[in-house]
Amino acid sequence: MINKRILSIGCLLLSFQTQALVPPQYQEPATGLTAEVEAGLQLNTGNTQSTSFNGRTRLIYDTKKAKQEALLKAYFASDSEKTTAEKYDVQLQSNYKVDSGYFFGRGEGTWDEFGSYTRLYTGSVGYGFDAISSYATKLKLEIGPGYQYSLAKATTTEPDPDANTDVIVRAAAKFEQRIHEYSSFTADLTAETGQNNSAVTLDMGYKNILFQDLAFKVGMNVKYTEVVPDGTEQVDTVTTFNLLYTFQ
């Protein structure tokens, strides 16, 4: 009987100690890491005419003082005879947060065997801030100088083109609108203005959540380049229909 009482008292004390070590309101700390993986069908118009497969991976590591973001896109298409599209995009951005906004460093690289420019590398720095930041609506604005390297596509009139370098000013607006609990719309507008060339890119997407971490996404990327080689078009569009999975 005494042993049972001692055992009961010991269990009670152990329970109290456990509650003291782990408060009722305790929650596991957030890692700050988010990953998105999507893949699906692609329709191209402009310099590339094809229907093909595309993939996209986005990694974000967000903390109180900084935010790191990496984006990788891959496009590939072929018909019964040959490859008709092959393009890879890599974007890396690091934000250092301050009270009024953030300072950023950004690097981009594009390898496009069928585009007006087969190689395009851009590095930029600058300042960004939240113009609107609410649960339903978000708008970020960025501006800063940069440097760009580009290699035009070989043509019959220019079979061995020289690479071009240019100092640019990059301005970007990143908009996000939550339509309701399960769907959202995003639109990123970027303008890169240089002495030798300028380009404007609009990247839009509509996402609808199917399950907790799985969503259906429709995207459209439109890019206008002011100066392009002979025989190529100024406007390229990419339309995608993807399934997107989010890891948090």
Side-chain angles (χ1 to χ4, degrees):
M1 186 70 175
I2 294 176
N3 291 336
K4 290 183 178 180
R5 289 181 180 177
I6 294 175
L7 181 61
S8 300
I9 293 172
C11 293
L12 185 61
L13 290 174
L14 181 60
S15 176
F16 285 157
Q17 289 177 352
T18 304
Q19 291 179 6
L21 291 173
V22 183
Q25 62 270 43
Y26 174 81
Q27 294 181 353
E28 290 292 333
T31 62
L33 179 63
T34 303
E36 294 180 350
V37 178
E38 65 178 80
L41 177 68
Q42 173 188 317
L43 303 175
N44 285 1
T45 63
N47 290 303
T48 304
Q49 301 283 343
S50 64
T51 301
S52 59
F53 174 82
N54 78 91
R56 173 183 174 274
T57 300
R58 183 185 185 194
L59 299 173
I60 299 175
Y61 184 66
D62 196 359
T63 63
K64 290 183 179 180
K65 294 184 178 181
K67 180 180 180 181
Q68 319 297 332
E69 184 173 354
L71 180 64
L72 171 64
K73 298 179 182 179
Y75 309 94
F76 181 83
S78 61
D79 55 26
S80 58
E81 298 180 353
K82 60 182 179 178
T83 300
T84 58
E86 185 177 2
K87 181 180 179 181
Y88 306 96
D89 288 327
V90 177
Q91 301 175 10
L92 303 172
Q93 181 163 333
S94 179
N95 298 343
Y96 178 74
K97 300 177 183 179
V98 294
D99 292 339
S100 57
Y102 56 92
F103 294 98
F104 70 86
R106 181 180 178 89
E108 302 178 51
T110 298
W111 300 262
D112 188 357
E113 297 302 327
F114 296 85
S116 55
Y117 288 89
T118 59
R119 301 292 184 269
L120 187 63
Y121 309 126
T122 304
S124 60
V125 296
Y127 174 76
F129 66 96
D130 292 324
I132 303 174
S133 182
S134 66
Y135 173 78
T137 307
K138 292 179 174 57
L139 175 63
K140 293 180 181 293
L141 301 178
E142 297 179 350
I143 190 167
Y147 185 79
Q148 191 171 81
Y149 168 97
S150 60
L151 180 62
K153 179 180 180 180
T155 62
T156 54
T157 58
E158 192 70 31
D160 189 17
D162 294 328
N164 294 317
T165 58
D166 203 0
V167 176
I168 64 168
V169 174
R170 176 183 174 274
K174 303 178 180 181
F175 175 76
E176 180 179 350
Q177 178 66 49
R178 186 183 294 272
I179 300 173
H180 55 71
E181 184 179 358
Y182 300 104
S183 64
S184 60
F185 171 79
T186 58
D188 294 349
L189 180 64
T190 304
E192 296 172 343
T193 305
Q195 184 177 0
N196 300 324
N197 205 351
S198 298
V200 178
T201 303
L202 176 61
D203 194 0
M204 299 180 293
Y206 171 79
K207 182 174 69 174
N208 189 76
I209 297 176
L210 303 176
F211 302 103
Q212 183 176 3
D213 298 319
L214 184 66
F216 174 73
K217 181 180 176 182
V218 179
M220 175 176 285
N221 182 283
V222 182
K223 183 174 183 179
Y224 168 82
T225 305
E226 183 178 10
V227 180
V228 296
D230 294 338
T232 62
E233 299 185 23
Q234 290 179 302
V235 179
D236 277 311
T237 65
V238 178
T239 304
T240 56
F241 304 90
N242 290 352
L243 287 177
L244 183 149
Y245 190 83
T246 301
F247 303 86
Q248 290 184 337

